[in-house]
Structures are given as C-alpha cells and as structure tokens.
Amino acid sequence: MLITLQEAAAKLRAAEKILVTAHVNPDGDAIGSTLAMLQILREMGKNVQVYIDDKIPRNFSVMPFEEEIRRPREDEKFDADLLVVLDTSTDRISEVAKLTDAPILNIDHHVTNRGGDFDLYVDADAAATCEIILQLARELGAKITTNIAVCLYTGIATDTGFFNYSNTRARTLHAAAELVELGVEPNLISEQMERRSYNDLKVMSAALDTTKFFYGGRVAGMFIDEELARIVDTTEGLVDLIRVIDGVDVAFLLTFKEKNVYRVSMRSKGVEVSDIARRLGGGGHVRAAGCTLNKSFDEAKRILIRTIGEFMIEQGYLRPAEYDNREEIALADFDANG
C-alpha cells in the first residue's frame, strides 16, 4: 500500500525495535541510507540493528557506524516490530527476510518498485534513497549530525555519479549543499570512493579484457566468471568503464554469484534499461538497473543479450539488420574495426 512521507514517519515513531536492511550487492546509497537511518532512529531512543546479506565493499569501511552492519547467520532471528527495507523492493534483501515476521516499511526511489502487501513510500523523483532519508529526518524532527550527513552525502553522490548522471536535479544539489554545510567534506568522500588497491586495478584490467560487443557494437558486455569472481572485492564502477565507449548505447556486467546464479548490472546513455531489467525480474533506474538470473552462464548470457536486443528494436534503438547482427565482437577486433 502506498503511503505518504508523513505516514512513514508515524510508522517509525510507533515502532520500538527496528530491523533496517537494503539490497544485496549494496552500493553507496544502500549503505548510506541504512547507516543514516540507524543513527537517526537511535537518537530517537529506538532499538535498531542493520543487516545486509552481502559483503560491504572495502571503500565504504570508513563510513560512520559501518562496523554495525551485520550479515544474517543461518537460523538467526531478530525480534523486531518493524522491518525497514531501504533502496530496493523487498525481493532483493535475500536471507534478511527470514530474520523477522515484523510488518514491513519499504522506502525507495526506484520507479520499478511496485510494492506489495505492506507499506511503501516511493519518491521516483529523488536521485537517491538518501535524499528521501534527509526529508524523513526533517519530518521526524531529528538532528542531522555530521556523521549522518556523511552517510547521506555518500549515497547521493554515488547514485548520481558524483552529480554527473541525468538524475541530478536542482533538489539534489540543494540537498548536497545542505549536507556540506553540516560538515561533509566532498573531496574526502570522492577520494575514498575512487581509492583502489593494486589488486583492484588488476581485476579491472582482467574484467575489461572480457568485454564483448553485440549488435554491431551498440551493446557492450563484461563478464565476471567464477574464477575471476574469487578475486573481485567489488564490482562497483566496472560497468561504467564500457558504458563510455563511443558507439555503445547499453553496457552490462554479468557477474557470477554462486552456481547457476548471476547478477546483471546495466547502464545506458539513453535506453531505458529499467524496462529491460523489469522483463528479467529486476528493476532500477531509467539508465542504471539490474537483476539476478538463476541460470547457467551460457543461458544467462543468451537470455540477457536477446532481451536487450528485443527491447532495443521494439523501441527503435536498433534497425532489423543490427538486431540480426548479434555475434560477439572481441575487444581487440572492436578496437581495430569499431
């Protein structure tokens, strides 16, 4: 059931023991919004814990209260009276869903979130869920400390590509300016998010070497197989390496998670990849979306490439001749001929 921001605030005021979570493969907005919510609710005297069923990328280890994030253990339970799901639909929280049977409050900014039999607040005009949490903090009358501001700014900055993406609006910049006034140092956050180990750079190079092109170079894909996945600490930013290639309209990253489970991240310059992701059971933003495919590598690859091509020809992004030209073009061949 869709509710207002004021109703969401009332739900939080009424609860005493709250479990906060976000999606698997957490990004800056997922981590920033959960950690900001943790601090806001604790300041209100609530008993709060954050669980996320995945590794937290090393870049985010400097965020305030990052050490508070737990990963659910088998058969673990959390006696909550409210489950707060941030920055995602409820089907992407994995094992956290088994921790409690508490009523759900879902807060999100993804246009593809259709909700369910629970309370949902969606603001699709917000650039990030952290932008919503800032509004919610005002509604709750909460004091926004510098630590909270750092979490919120990180989420907003990373979900907008540090204010480069098309979801950056005037309200987004106003929110960021307010957080800077509260003590955020943007240069320190951007430096931390850009930091890479030497191993990360080697992984990026290896991942880039897997790049293949489809539909005459209009679509580019990068592939993290089981072997490469063992040494990947984070896939954050990888798909953007190929999104910027001249001539590419849609870029995707297909990543091994476990046997017959692959995660897909998509980016585009104009194509509405959220619609492609929705067809595959996922969702996201118009130009940044994803899904999980419970298939073998070959089948996941085939289904993904076919679905992207079908959508692009339906929407007029591909001509029939280009749609028929779906053979793989290796990176070296594309460099020579593209």
Side-chain angles (χ1 to χ4, degrees):
M1 179 178 68
L2 289 174
I3 63 173
T4 66
L5 186 70
Q6 293 72 28
E7 289 170 327
K11 298 285 182 183
L12 293 170
R13 289 192 189 97
E16 291 300 327
K17 194 168 186 181
I18 304 171
L19 192 161
V20 179
T21 191
H23 54 80
V24 295
N25 196 24
D27 56 11
D29 194 25
I31 297 167
S33 60
T34 55
L35 292 179
M37 183 68 85
L38 172 78
Q39 297 171 73
I40 291 167
L41 294 175
R42 283 189 176 173
E43 286 295 317
M44 295 171 63
K46 310 295 185 180
N47 183 344
V48 190
Q49 184 58 56
V50 174
Y51 281 85
I52 295 177
D53 187 25
D54 216 333
K55 292 193 305 181
I56 305 302
R58 187 172 56 248
N59 292 52
F60 299 106
S61 62
V62 298
M63 290 183 67
F65 293 87
E66 181 272 341
E67 71 281 358
E68 294 270 1
I69 300 176
R70 299 179 185 175
R71 194 168 184 179
R73 301 186 303 272
E74 188 175 358
D75 298 326
E76 184 179 6
K77 297 294 181 182
F78 187 85
D79 183 25
D81 49 27
L82 186 66
L83 170 60
V84 179
V85 179
L86 301 177
D87 195 42
T88 184
S89 54
T90 57
D91 58 348
R92 293 194 62 215
I93 62 175
S94 194
E95 296 301 304
V96 175
K98 300 177 182 178
L99 288 172
T100 181
D101 294 324
I104 296 172
L105 171 60
N106 189 189
I107 299 174
D108 195 8
H109 72 123
H110 294 102
V111 67
T112 53
N113 192 336
R114 302 305 186 194
D117 188 23
F118 50 81
D119 294 316
L120 169 66
Y121 176 74
V122 173
D123 181 358
D125 290 327
T129 299
C130 279
E131 193 176 314
I132 299 173
I133 302 302
L134 177 60
Q135 297 173 321
L136 186 60
R138 296 192 193 105
E139 184 66 32
L140 291 167
K143 178 184 178 182
I144 303 173
T145 64
T146 298
N147 280 343
I148 293 173
V150 166
C151 294
L152 295 176
Y153 182 92
T154 300
I156 293 171
T158 53
D159 244 30
T160 58
F162 285 85
F163 312 103
N164 283 320
Y165 297 162
S166 61
N167 60 342
T168 303
R169 300 180 174 89
R171 62 179 278 190
T172 314
L173 297 174
H174 283 303
E178 179 181 343
L179 296 169
V180 171
E181 289 176 346
L182 290 167
V184 172
E185 298 179 80
N187 62 304
L188 298 183
I189 292 175
S190 61
E191 288 168 9
Q192 179 61 30
M193 294 303 105
E194 292 169 356
R195 186 173 297 173
R196 297 288 186 271
S197 68
Y198 179 59
N199 183 67
D200 289 339
L201 295 179
K202 290 196 294 182
V203 168
M204 291 171 69
S205 176
L208 192 60
D209 282 342
T210 71
T211 303
K212 304 292 183 187
F213 297 87
F214 308 90
Y215 303 116
R218 303 288 296 280
V219 175
M222 188 184 290
F223 305 90
I224 307 293
D225 61 14
E226 183 174 0
E227 181 179 355
L228 190 52
R230 293 193 188 103
I231 60 172
V232 174
D233 178 66
T234 177
T235 59
E236 187 76 19
L238 282 181
V239 70
D240 291 306
L241 295 176
I242 56 175
R243 182 189 67 85
V244 298
I245 295 173
D246 190 29
V248 169
D249 292 325
V250 174
F252 68 82
L253 172 66
L254 186 65
T255 304
F256 173 87
K257 174 60 179 175
E258 57 188 67
K259 183 176 174 59
N260 291 333
V261 179
Y262 285 84
R263 286 180 180 162
V264 177
S265 296
M266 288 182 283
R267 300 290 186 271
S268 79
K269 295 169 183 171
V271 178
E272 296 186 2
V273 290
S274 57
D275 284 344
I276 299 172
R278 188 185 294 120
R279 295 184 181 194
L280 295 168
H285 305 287
V286 171
R287 292 178 177 79
C291 62
T292 298
L293 298 176
N294 297 309
K295 306 288 183 182
S296 68
F297 172 78
D298 288 339
E299 191 172 5
K301 178 180 175 183
R302 178 180 60 79
I303 290 171
L304 176 60
I305 293 166
R306 185 192 67 205
T307 305
I308 292 172
E310 288 175 350
F311 178 81
M312 290 180 70
I313 199 167
E314 287 172 13
Q315 300 297 316
Y317 293 104
L318 286 179
R319 299 187 303 273
E322 291 173 313
Y323 177 70
D324 292 336
N325 181 18
R326 68 181 76 183
E327 75 276 5
E328 294 183 8
I329 306 171
L331 183 62
D333 294 332
F334 188 81
D335 285 342
N337 304 314

